[in-house]
Amino acid sequence: MGMRGYILRRAVQVLLTLWVILTLLFFLFRLGLPDPTLALVSEGLSPEDRMLVAERFGLERPLWQQYFIYLRNVISGELGTSFHYKAPVAGILGEKFLNTMVLMLPAILVAYSIGQLLGVLLAWKRGTRLEFTGVSLGLIFRSAPMFWTGMLFIMLFGISLGWFPTSGMRTLPYEASGFLDKIFTLDFLRHLFLPVLVIALYYAGLPMLIMRNTMLEVMGEDFIEFCKARGLSMRRIMYRHAARNALLPIVTQAAITIGLAVGGQVVVEVVFSWPGLGLEMLQAVRTSDYPLAQASFMLMAAMILVLNFATDLIYGKLDPRVVYS
Amino acid sequence: MKYDAVRFLWKTIRQDRLAFFGVAVLFCLVAIALLAPLVATHDPNEMNHRVEGTVFWYRDGEWVIQESVGEWTLNAVTFCYDGDTAFAVGNHGEVLKYSAGSWEKEEVPTTVHLQDVAFGENLVVVVGESGTILEKRNGEWIIVNTPVENELFAVSIAPGTQKALVAGTEGTVLRRLNDTWELVDTGATEDLLAVSFPAEDTGFIVGRRNVIFHYDGETLSRQMVMGFRDLYDVHAPTTDMALAVGERGTILHYTGTAWSAMYGPEARDLRGVRLIEEDKAVAVGSHGVIIRMDQGQWMREDTGYRRHLRGIDAFGGMLIASGTDPYVNSLARPSVDHWFGTTHLGRDIYSQVVYGSRAALTVGFLAAIMVAVIGTNVGLFAGYFKGRVDGLLMRIVDIMYALPLEPFAMILVLLSRPGLTIIIFAVGLLTWRTTARIIRSQVLSLAARPFVKAARIAGASDLRILYVHIAPNILPLAFLQLAVSVAFAITAEATLSFLGLGPPRIYSWGTILHEARLSGAWRTAWWWIIPPGVLIMITVVSVFFISRALEVLTNPRLGKR
Amino acid sequence: MKTISVHWAFVLAVVMVFSLSGMVFAEPVPEIELITTTEAYDPIRYESAFIIAEGWEQLGFQVNVRPMEFSTILERFYDEQDFDATILGWSGRVERLDPQHFLGTLHGGQIDLGANNPGGYVNPEYDRLFEAQTREFEVERRREMVLEMQAIAAQDAPLDVLYYRDEVNAYNHERFGNFVIMAGEALYNEWTPLQVEPITEKTVLTIGTPQEPDTINPLASTSVWGWKFMRLYYDKLVRLSPDIEPVPWAAEELIPVNDVTLDVVVRSGMLFHDGEPVTVEDVKFTFDYYIENDFAYFRPFFAPIESVEVLNGNTVRFHLKEPYAPLITVTLSQLPILPKHIWEAIDNPADLAPDQIPTVGSGPFMFDRYDRGEYKRIVTFEDHFSAGDIKIDAVEYRVYADSEGVFTGLITGEIDMTAWRLEPGQIDLAEREEHITVVSVPDFGYYHLTYNLRRKPFDDVAVRQALSHLIDKETMITVLLQGRGEPGTSVIAPINAFWHNPDVVRYPYDPERAREILEEAGYRWDDEGRILFPAG
């Protein structure tokens, strides 16, 4: 089986997983909330309106039929109407989804690139004070919860020193024609800096340590000696040859990190008031906005699946030994 | 292949100094959590009050707070003779005299709460609870017999005379004529709270529900004034002008003919007032409120102090104000009383942090055990049975990887309610995925080993092979995963509590930070932010150290370097 | 002699059995579930619940404090009436200065599921007065009835009014002056944009808030934040002045014909923002449209209207079903005038997609833009009759994620005023800033603890009075609110001085008095100090 077949198979797998998650959510919500229209009543819905809603969601039909109606709605992008905003959920979450991505992807990218480079450096400077400091700092940042470092950074860099804005994505008002316009501004980058730093510091420790450990193993192998014998500079050996071989475990770890980061993101968004999916979901939970909370969760799960899918492909590209089967 | 796993573990840990440190820290934390009521200095939910007899001086154009003169409320203060002498009275029979720059306690024959003090011609009068009146004549304090048992709130002496007026609960008014005290009929039932007696033939008495009486030297007449607020103080420097202040920033102005309401800048209670000149006045109140009238305009003055002020007196350009009612010791910096300071509601942060270790450890260990048990078993079954069982279990693991933890916990909270159980379940049900994967790969290689084949040939059942032959070999790995899970669960608990998903009134380190953020005080109150975060960090680092040692154990290759 | 002693022994035995059975069978008062908001939603109400619980536990009541999500509370309180005691609040909206609404929350006609009196308090005398005052146009006579109703309610204690919380806002006095301060609404009222004066070059007033309109659809919005925004670009026949007096606005004159008929002369020469003239037809259309669509949020306002009739080119006549005192102060001051030429083509206005909602009004400001979650702007409408008095060019709103963000915006000068109350911890910091003026305004809304009178022990007035005596309101005010508020006494707040009854019976914190009341009513305590119902 070739590359194409592999991709196809993985894609089907992703869809299946998504389906299972949707099913899980459906029953979870029906279990915890037997009559979703009840939650609507407090919003001033008359009994007649309630009937209408009930009809739209097919609430008077048997459970299995409701389930299929639910699946149909999700597939057609009809995620329901937010109780709070009284507007379709899909429209509200679309931009929040993008906001989350523009925070998370750079953060993980930074974490992994810096983490790896440092990892190589630590392996190289083995046994020195630098290595000790590096490993300790890595451990400390991995142990300090992100919301706490976030608060400390806001206190220090935002409030005391006034170097960076403390909340939100951009200074208002702004004039922009599209999403890209909104994010490629200096102002946006200034807002992005602190949250990215917090996330990156937290996640950089792991790739750094993995890189260091793998490097140490790789360096014991023959081909390094061979390179040395050829008279290549140490820097070149470390970064060109050894590091390349140590990349695989890091990519594996990155896939797992993405899953964790999507969840962990929530707390960073809260601390920095970043208008992303996580903040929106917390608000939804606080206002008992069931459709919004459910859809936010779905989107996050989908995000993880798609990103993992992407890492799988990268993994394949990196490791020639992987046969697509 | 059986060996004493625990002993082996212990040996490994003892060899690794960092791991030993980690174990020591964890033991300390467990001890703190178990003995929390003993280790804590306060009830973590208690709003800690303080009572301090505080005196505020206004001299040379600025307010200065004087060190506490004792642990009781000072209800009233008055200058006498000149700006160098003053009297202050307070609860528990406290009478203090200020002279030559310091406060001296006066010996008085009572211990009841004293409410007011007035100074006159060779006479100081103090009034208080249970109809108590003290007089100081010729340097001697004596208790005066009074015809009432009511609590007396206020006294005033007409300047240059020995005539005094006293007001108290349920419309009580007493006057001093020729060394004797007699009751004056008011017909009122409201409590009367303040009195001002600028001249022998003019007096003002105010009280609850906007009651105002005028005294003409003989009788009292009730004034008809619009409003219904309690009036706490009145001051009349001369017979034709007076100010009264009260509840919710009420200010009433008397100009010789009638009382009228004045616009004030303050909506909180005003407890004391002094009218200095016709268009100059100062009033004080709760929460350190000080307002000043200049040219008929009231302005707020901020001293930065937030203690409750009760009495005030003026002399020349000087002012003296006294307090304080019991006040909540909020946002106090670390001190001997409160090692880590207090929250905005005066709660002891050190005690909260101590109790917080309970939530962290409970969730950490219970969730981690859940993770280890589920993960290990899934890994065992998947790795041993392979094929369909493996396929199915690993698909489930894949699905688990797609569920983000914090949002999942939020959904659970949305569908039930906040609590530690939800957090334990969320972590326990979701994060066994990694453990399962790792154990599975180990089991895969173990299952191919000769001793497993031998057992099978000997006719051992699958379950027996799994749990008797294979399981002991993966124990170190399972322990490692347990340790990692503990760190993960503690962080997860803190995170979820920080989002406000923890149980009410049970402190965890995350909850403390959640409250700090909610209160808005975190941007300045560093002592509120740092301790819980540092503890989370230390705990997690300790667990990391332990797991590093275990890692060496499970992967001997790492140990060789 | 012997028979007598036997007789006595018998009597004694009976007495003993009775008293014993009293001891043994006396039923303990069941645990009270006290519902309150989560800490994140409102820390003050959350902490208050624990203060109340502590007070009650002193006398052997078992209390279980249950913080819940806000909408769950509303559901349990209003729609299911499934609660023992619940802490909720009524916000002080201007139209609620008329006592009608707050008194209605204790009216026996509103005890059904979903209605405003979930506690189930019924007192025929109170109900009689309520109905009488609704029809009373003579204001002094109405006042007497309103005062008496408050006295009755306080005596029966079907709820405890916990506190009135001051609305604390702040503005930047280096940028703008002449702010209008209004009871209940503080700075963020409809007059502030009409009257503020710029001090610097900046002629756009920037308002910061964490609150968002639920929608800007005038036939769907059920939140204060929607209406506080819309009322600036829609006009109303009557606006309530800063002193809460009705002033004719889009109406030129209001002519009462009789108890059930009111003529309204519409101001001439007004334009909608799209250039179309505002006519009597638009006014009639608006009311008909609201009635026809039966918009639930406004239902109490238009329910008394029988019909609206166009009399001539500039006058409409309102026919009422029965005399309705708050018609001018409430109904005419709340309903916006909608352009007929736009809305008549819309059949299901409540279902409009967000980008299809018309934003054409005739108010002093014109809708300009709205980016959900971030930004809103309205600009001065030069053709409005009040435009000559408006000294700013536009009002913009910045939406922050929480009050923390608003506060930072205020300090850094990003915004000129707040539209949301400062938290107690922030007030102090704001007061210390040179460029900030803090405004604290008493509210006429109130926070209340409502008992479910259908359940034991709350059916007993003695218990309710005793429970009220055990509530330490002083701590709530001085500690939780830091003095920015006052202990509650009546559903009509003191700031509403004309209608407030200051002489209602009060329940100061007094555990001894509470115990006496309970003892008098026959309640006793078991060995563990748990309170028991009266025997028999």
Side-chain angles (χ1 to χ4, degrees):
Chain A
M1 219 186 283
M3 174 91 169
R4 185 171 299 186
Y6 172 76
I7 294 178
L8 203 70
R9 230 178 57 132
R10 282 290 288 130
V12 171
Q13 236 172 47
V14 164
L15 287 179
L16 272 178
T17 315
L18 200 59
W19 168 68
V20 174
I21 291 173
L22 288 180
T23 310
L24 200 79
L25 268 183
F26 174 79
F27 286 102
L28 208 60
F29 268 80
R30 225 14 72 80
L31 210 71
L33 188 78
D35 182 2
T37 59
L38 257 187
L40 280 168
V41 182
S42 47
E43 307 288 320
L45 212 65
S46 66
E48 301 87 62
D49 295 341
R50 217 166 128 182
M51 285 296 289
L52 273 176
V53 176
E55 232 164 82
R56 195 153 86 209
F57 288 96
L59 291 173
E60 75 292 347
R61 302 194 198 181
L63 198 64
W64 64 272
Q65 281 190 16
Q66 288 182 36
Y67 172 65
F68 284 109
I69 292 174
Y70 159 83
L71 280 187
R72 194 191 62 204
N73 284 347
V74 170
I75 290 167
S76 60
E78 148 103 75
L79 300 173
T81 305
S82 155
F83 292 172
H84 178 68
Y85 293 115
K86 301 179 184 64
V89 166
I92 297 168
L93 291 183
E95 186 159 335
K96 308 280 176 191
F97 179 82
L98 291 175
N99 290 348
T100 293
M101 293 293 260
V102 294
L103 171 58
M104 202 185 69
L105 289 183
I108 295 210
L109 223 70
V110 169
Y112 272 76
S113 36
I114 291 185
Q116 284 173 47
L117 292 180
L118 285 177
V120 175
L121 190 72
L122 293 186
W124 184 7
K125 304 281 179 192
R126 215 186 135 194
T128 62
R129 178 168 290 186
L130 185 75
E131 192 209 11
F132 181 77
T133 324
V135 172
S136 315
L137 276 181
L139 275 180
I140 285 173
F141 277 113
R142 254 187 76 57
S143 314
M146 282 189 285
F147 59 88
W148 186 62
T149 31
M151 282 165 96
L152 289 183
F153 282 12
I154 290 179
M155 268 169 94
L156 186 66
F157 299 115
I159 295 167
S160 293
L161 298 172
W163 292 351
F164 294 99
T166 56
S167 75
M169 270 180 81
R170 59 184 80 93
T171 311
L172 300 167
Y174 60 91
E175 301 290 340
S177 48
F179 187 72
L180 287 182
D181 261 21
K182 287 184 197 172
I183 63 169
F184 286 116
T185 63
L186 198 65
D187 176 61
F188 171 77
L189 292 178
R190 263 169 49 95
H191 281 81
L192 189 66
F193 185 81
L194 278 187
V196 162
L197 184 68
V198 165
I199 301 177
L201 280 177
Y202 186 78
Y203 288 114
L206 200 59
M208 183 182 84
L209 292 178
I210 293 179
M211 195 67 183
R212 170 180 161 276
N213 290 354
T214 332
M215 282 295 286
L216 289 178
E217 282 177 36
V218 172
M219 277 163 67
E221 282 173 19
D222 300 340
F223 81 98
I224 300 286
E225 294 301 321
F226 178 68
C227 289
K228 270 189 195 158
R230 271 176 55 192
L232 294 174
S233 80
M234 196 60 190
R235 182 185 300 262
R236 200 178 156 87
I237 296 172
M238 295 299 290
Y239 285 102
R240 273 285 173 80
H241 300 275
R244 205 164 167 180
N245 283 282
L247 265 181
L248 283 179
I250 297 226
V251 176
T252 321
Q253 186 55 43
I256 294 170
T257 305
I258 284 166
L260 295 177
V262 170
Q265 172 95 356
V266 175
V267 98
V268 178
E269 285 180 10
V270 170
V271 171
F272 288 94
S273 302
W274 190 268
L277 269 186
L279 191 62
E280 199 60 42
M281 184 169 176
L282 186 68
Q283 305 288 14
V285 169
R286 284 188 180 159
T287 53
S288 298
D289 193 337
Y290 296 92
L292 198 59
Q294 194 174 4
S296 311
F297 188 83
M298 255 180 236
L299 272 180
M300 289 191 208
M303 195 188 294
I304 297 176
L305 285 171
V306 170
L307 289 175
N308 275 350
F309 185 35
T311 30
D312 272 1
L313 297 185
I314 296 174
Y315 192 92
K317 270 264 187 302
L318 277 177
D319 189 353
R321 283 171 299 184
V322 170
V323 185
Y324 295 104
S325 59
Chain B
M1 281 299 283
K2 288 182 197 169
Y3 51 84
D4 190 348
V6 176
R7 231 180 61 200
F8 188 65
L9 275 177
W10 176 234
K11 215 178 103 193
T12 321
I13 284 167
R14 251 193 9 205
Q15 281 165 0
D16 185 328
R17 210 183 290 168
L18 286 180
F20 189 76
F21 165 80
V23 171
V25 168
L26 275 192
F27 265 110
C28 286
L29 280 173
V30 170
I32 288 175
L34 289 176
L35 303 174
L38 297 177
V39 181
T41 51
H42 294 76
D43 176 344
N45 278 313
E46 173 79 29
M47 300 174 182
N48 293 293
H49 285 80
R50 271 182 97 96
V51 183
E52 271 177 12
T54 315
V55 178
F56 283 61
W57 291 95
Y58 183 81
R59 280 189 279 220
D60 308 326
E62 64 178 325
W63 285 97
V64 179
I65 186 172
Q66 185 164 6
E67 284 301 298
S68 161
V69 291
E71 293 196 350
W72 3 258
T73 303
L74 289 181
N75 290 316
V77 61
T78 182
F79 281 116
C80 49
Y81 303 113
D82 48 50
D84 296 332
T85 319
F87 278 100
V89 297
N91 290 353
H92 310 295
E94 288 298 334
V95 178
L96 298 162
K97 184 179 178 185
Y98 179 84
S99 61
S102 69
W103 290 94
E104 295 289 339
K105 195 172 152 65
E106 297 264 300
E107 288 303 322
V108 292
T110 182
T111 56
V112 299
H113 293 352
L114 300 176
Q115 294 288 358
D116 200 7
V117 54
F119 169 77
E121 196 70 17
N122 293 322
L123 177 71
V124 181
V125 179
V126 171
V127 299
E129 268 185 332
S130 341
T132 306
I133 297 182
L134 292 169
E135 290 186 1
K136 186 179 193 183
R137 279 178 294 186
N138 312 320
E140 194 78 27
W141 286 101
I142 53 160
I143 288 210
V144 181
N145 283 325
T146 54
V148 289
E149 276 294 301
N150 300 47
E151 176 153 21
L152 302 177
F153 287 117
V155 57
S156 183
I157 302 176
T161 71
Q162 292 201 334
K163 293 187 172 164
L165 272 181
V166 165
T169 52
E170 294 167 348
T172 308
V173 173
L174 296 164
R175 68 176 160 202
R176 185 181 197 275
L177 288 172
N178 313 322
D179 293 357
T180 58
W181 290 89
E182 64 177 43
L183 205 55
V184 187
D185 183 41
T186 59
T189 54
E190 291 90 351
D191 295 348
L192 301 176
L193 306 176
V195 47
S196 186
F197 200 13
E200 272 178 68
D201 59 350
T202 308
F204 301 91
I205 297 175
V206 300
R208 295 203 187 275
R209 326 317 323 277
N210 210 42
V211 172
I212 300 182
F213 280 103
H214 282 192
Y215 176 70
D216 61 4
E218 285 299 320
T219 54
L220 286 161
S221 57
R222 189 165 179 163
Q223 303 296 300
M224 283 300 134
V225 186
M226 281 290 284
F228 48 80
R229 293 299 190 180
D230 293 353
L231 298 175
Y232 294 126
D233 199 11
V234 61
H235 183 238
T238 63
T239 57
D240 58 357
M241 58 181 185
L243 269 185
V245 296
E247 220 185 349
R248 300 289 273 163
T250 306
I251 303 173
L252 297 178
H253 192 207
Y254 178 73
T255 48
T257 48
W259 290 88
S260 58
M262 257 188 128
Y263 172 79
E266 186 51 62
R268 286 172 284 188
D269 292 351
L270 296 174
R271 307 303 293 256
V273 65
R274 280 298 174 268
L275 184 56
I276 299 161
E277 283 167 33
E278 199 181 343
D279 57 359
K280 267 195 163 133
V282 182
V284 297
S286 57
H287 298 87
V289 168
I290 297 178
I291 57 173
R292 199 187 271 274
M293 178 173 76
D294 205 4
Q295 297 178 336
Q297 280 291 314
W298 285 97
M299 292 286 288
R300 208 184 269 124
E301 197 157 302
D302 197 351
T303 58
Y305 299 113
R306 294 292 174 264
R307 297 178 189 177
H308 307 310
L309 297 175
R310 281 192 157 234
I312 181 164
D313 200 13
F315 186 91
M318 270 196 302
L319 294 170
I320 184 171
S322 77
T324 161
D325 291 11
Y327 67 96
V328 164
N329 193 12
S330 56
L331 291 178
R333 284 161 184 273
S335 66
V336 181
D337 286 348
H338 303 286
W339 299 348
F340 293 172
T342 61
T343 71
H344 68 310
L345 295 178
R347 293 179 173 144
D348 184 62
I349 294 171
Y350 165 74
S351 305
Q352 291 188 347
V353 169
V354 165
Y355 276 93
S357 61
R358 290 185 162 188
L361 294 179
T362 314
V363 174
F365 282 107
L366 287 183
I369 288 170
M370 208 164 143
V371 167
V373 167
I374 301 179
T376 309
N377 282 301
V378 170
L380 278 172
F381 275 81
Y384 181 75
F385 290 107
K386 300 183 192 139
R388 278 208 185 155
V389 178
D390 184 30
L392 180 71
L393 289 176
M394 284 304 108
R395 283 295 80 74
I396 295 179
V397 167
D398 283 346
I399 292 167
M400 287 297 174
Y401 269 110
L403 297 178
L405 173 68
E406 286 86 352
F408 184 71
M410 279 154 71
I411 294 279
L412 290 186
V413 168
L414 174 67
L415 295 175
S416 62
R417 61 172 144 138
L420 286 183
T421 349
I422 290 283
I423 297 179
I424 294 173
F425 269 96
V427 176
L429 288 178
L430 231 56
T431 57
W432 51 265
R433 51 205 185 186
T434 315
T435 308
R437 261 195 190 172
I438 292 173
I439 299 279
R440 169 181 169 270
S441 59
Q442 184 86 350
V443 172
L444 272 178
S445 75
L446 279 173
R449 294 270 194 88
F451 72 91
V452 173
K453 282 180 186 151
R456 201 171 286 144
I457 290 163
S461 72
D462 285 339
L463 280 184
R464 191 178 160 78
I465 295 173
L466 254 187
Y467 285 105
V468 177
H469 297 278
I470 297 180
N473 288 294
I474 54 134
L475 260 190
L477 199 59
F479 269 115
L480 169 64
Q481 283 306 309
L482 183 78
V484 174
S485 304
V486 169
F488 191 79
I490 288 175
T491 313
E493 188 276 330
T495 305
L496 294 172
S497 297
F498 174 73
L499 292 175
L501 307 182
R505 286 248 143 170
I506 308 283
Y507 283 96
S508 97
W509 296 329
T511 317
I512 298 173
L513 290 166
H514 172 62
E515 280 192 350
R517 203 179 131 75
L518 269 188
S519 77
W522 63 281
R523 35 179 82 231
T524 45
W526 50 267
W527 59 88
W528 196 351
I529 306 296
I530 291 179
V534 166
L535 266 155
I536 297 173
M537 216 167 76
I538 290 181
T539 315
V540 175
V541 161
S542 306
V543 177
F544 275 150
F545 285 156
I546 298 172
S547 61
R548 249 171 58 102
L550 294 173
E551 214 169 346
V552 174
L553 185 86
T554 51
N555 187 357
R557 243 178 113 182
L558 291 174
K560 274 186 230 149
R561 40 170 211 261
Chain C
M1 183 71 190
K2 197 180 173 189
T3 50
I4 289 170
S5 67
V6 167
H7 191 75
W8 274 112
F10 181 71
V11 170
L12 201 70
V14 170
V15 168
M16 275 182 67
V17 166
F18 260 89
S19 58
L20 265 178
S21 69
M23 296 295 280
V24 175
F25 299 117
E27 198 191 332
V29 171
E31 182 182 76
I32 299 170
E33 186 187 56
L34 175 56
I35 296 176
T36 187
T37 66
T38 58
E39 189 174 17
Y41 187 84
D42 180 1
I44 312 286
R45 265 180 271 180
Y46 172 87
E47 292 289 350
S48 296
F50 289 98
I51 292 175
I52 293 168
E54 244 167 63
W56 289 356
E57 279 161 0
Q58 285 176 73
L59 283 196
F61 290 96
Q62 316 270 310
V63 190
N64 177 15
V65 177
R66 283 281 310 271
M68 288 183 187
E69 296 305 334
F70 192 64
S71 61
T72 315
I73 301 178
L74 293 180
E75 191 182 313
R76 296 257 316 249
F77 188 68
Y78 288 106
D79 305 320
E80 298 167 9
Q81 294 179 352
D82 175 18
F83 67 98
D84 293 340
T86 300
I87 301 178
L88 269 177
W90 282 108
S91 58
R93 305 213 312 256
V94 174
E95 76 272 15
R96 288 177 183 161
L97 269 169
D98 186 284
Q100 186 73 8
H101 177 82
F102 287 148
L103 292 176
T105 62
L106 294 173
H107 182 227
Q110 303 220 31
I111 58 169
D112 301 332
L113 286 181
N116 276 341
N117 180 7
Y121 172 64
V122 182
N123 180 323
E125 177 60 13
Y126 183 93
D127 293 351
R128 188 188 66 73
L129 284 167
F130 180 79
E131 280 140 32
Q133 65 84 26
T134 307
R135 296 197 192 88
E136 184 57 68
F137 276 87
E138 170 53 54
V139 80
E140 277 303 326
R141 281 210 299 272
R142 185 171 172 217
R143 176 165 180 257
E144 269 167 38
M145 290 189 257
V146 168
L147 296 192
E148 194 182 340
M149 290 169 73
Q150 293 173 59
I152 294 172
Q155 187 62 44
D156 288 346
L159 84 173
D160 191 288
V161 179
L162 295 172
Y163 50 81
Y164 316 104
R165 177 178 184 176
D166 292 356
E167 196 64 37
V168 183
N169 289 175
Y171 63 88
N172 184 336
H173 59 239
E174 289 174 2
R175 291 250 186 81
F176 289 91
N178 205 24
F179 282 84
V180 181
I181 299 164
M182 220 165 145
E185 303 207 353
L187 288 178
Y188 188 36
N189 55 63
E190 53 196 311
W191 299 100
T192 289
L194 295 175
Q195 300 192 2
V196 284
E197 291 168 10
I199 291 171
T200 62
E201 296 290 292
K202 187 173 183 291
T203 55
V204 177
L205 178 71
T206 310
I207 300 178
T209 171
Q211 299 292 344
E212 272 236 90
D214 49 349
T215 162
I216 52 167
N217 181 346
L219 276 112
S221 174
T222 55
S223 92
V224 195
W225 306 105
W227 285 106
K228 282 193 168 190
F229 178 57
M230 284 189 280
R231 66 185 178 185
L232 290 173
Y233 64 90
Y234 286 108
D235 239 343
K236 296 181 287 193
L237 288 170
V238 171
R239 284 191 195 259
L240 297 174
S241 77
D243 305 321
I244 330 283
E245 292 295 326
V247 288
W249 186 256
E252 207 159 82
E253 210 181 340
L254 305 164
I255 309 161
V257 180
N258 57 42
D259 274 3
V260 290
T261 319
L262 176 77
D263 284 353
V264 175
V265 181
V266 178
R267 194 187 279 265
S268 56
M270 288 187 299
L271 295 176
F272 283 110
H273 300 151
D274 60 358
E276 295 287 321
V278 179
T279 67
V280 284
E281 289 297 334
D282 292 302
V283 175
K284 175 177 162 53
F285 168 80
T286 300
F287 283 85
D288 289 349
Y289 197 61
Y290 271 113
I291 293 169
E292 178 197 326
N293 281 290
D294 196 22
F295 180 41
Y297 187 67
F298 280 167
R299 200 179 291 137
F301 302 165
F302 59 67
I305 296 176
E306 174 78 51
S307 65
V308 182
E309 180 193 352
V310 173
L311 276 195
N312 54 46
N314 64 358
T315 311
V316 284
R317 171 168 288 184
F318 288 83
H319 296 281
L320 303 184
K321 291 172 187 157
E322 55 181 355
Y324 180 62
L327 178 72
I328 294 174
T329 50
V330 176
T331 307
L332 299 191
S333 75
Q334 293 307 312
L335 266 64
I337 301 170
L338 304 176
K340 182 182 180 185
H341 60 277
I342 290 177
W343 288 89
E344 67 186 341
I346 299 171
D347 284 336
N348 285 317
D351 293 342
L352 285 173
D355 52 348
Q356 291 169 346
I357 297 168
T359 53
V360 175
S362 59
F365 291 91
M366 262 192 303
F367 178 88
D368 183 34
R369 65 184 280 190
Y370 175 26
D371 307 322
R372 175 167 292 287
E374 293 187 332
Y375 187 70
K376 299 193 287 281
R377 186 167 62 212
I378 49 176
V379 295
T380 307
F381 179 47
E382 295 303 338
D383 291 331
H384 192 266
F385 61 85
S386 70
D389 301 331
I390 300 177
K391 299 181 187 65
I392 52 173
D393 295 332
V395 182
E396 55 174 15
Y397 299 75
R398 294 189 184 183
V399 182
Y400 294 89
D402 47 25
S403 65
E404 275 294 298
V406 178
F407 181 69
T408 312
L410 183 72
I411 300 296
T412 57
E414 221 168 77
I415 58 170
D416 303 319
M417 63 170 261
T418 63
W420 178 243
R421 61 172 169 237
L422 299 176
E423 292 302 322
Q426 298 166 344
I427 298 170
D428 227 38
L429 300 172
E431 278 181 338
R432 289 173 197 186
E433 293 286 330
E434 278 293 312
H435 64 291
I436 305 289
T437 297
V438 174
V439 174
S440 185
V441 182
D443 195 4
F444 45 85
Y446 57 91
Y447 292 88
H448 58 92
L449 168 69
T450 296
Y451 309 116
N452 190 343
L453 272 56
R454 297 171 191 82
R455 294 190 182 173
K456 277 177 174 296
F458 308 110
D459 56 340
D460 187 345
V461 64
V463 171
R464 300 195 301 263
Q465 290 175 342
L467 291 177
S468 286
H469 271 301
L470 292 168
I471 298 175
D472 181 6
K473 295 179 187 173
E474 206 51 45
T475 302
M476 295 178 197
I477 304 297
T478 51
V479 183
L480 302 182
L481 294 175
Q482 297 190 357
R484 314 264 177 189
E486 97 177 81
T489 51
S490 162
V491 292
I492 309 292
I495 182 68
N496 198 354
F498 182 76
W499 300 109
H500 171 72
N501 183 349
D503 298 317
V504 301
V505 58
R506 296 183 180 203
Y507 301 93
Y509 179 68
D510 188 350
E512 279 317 303
R513 179 76 196 108
R515 185 179 288 273
E516 276 168 35
I517 293 174
L518 289 170
E519 274 168 358
E520 276 164 30
Y523 288 82
R524 283 161 307 133
W525 287 265
D526 66 13
D527 295 342
E528 281 130 41
R530 213 178 150 173
I531 188 162
L532 307 172
F533 280 113

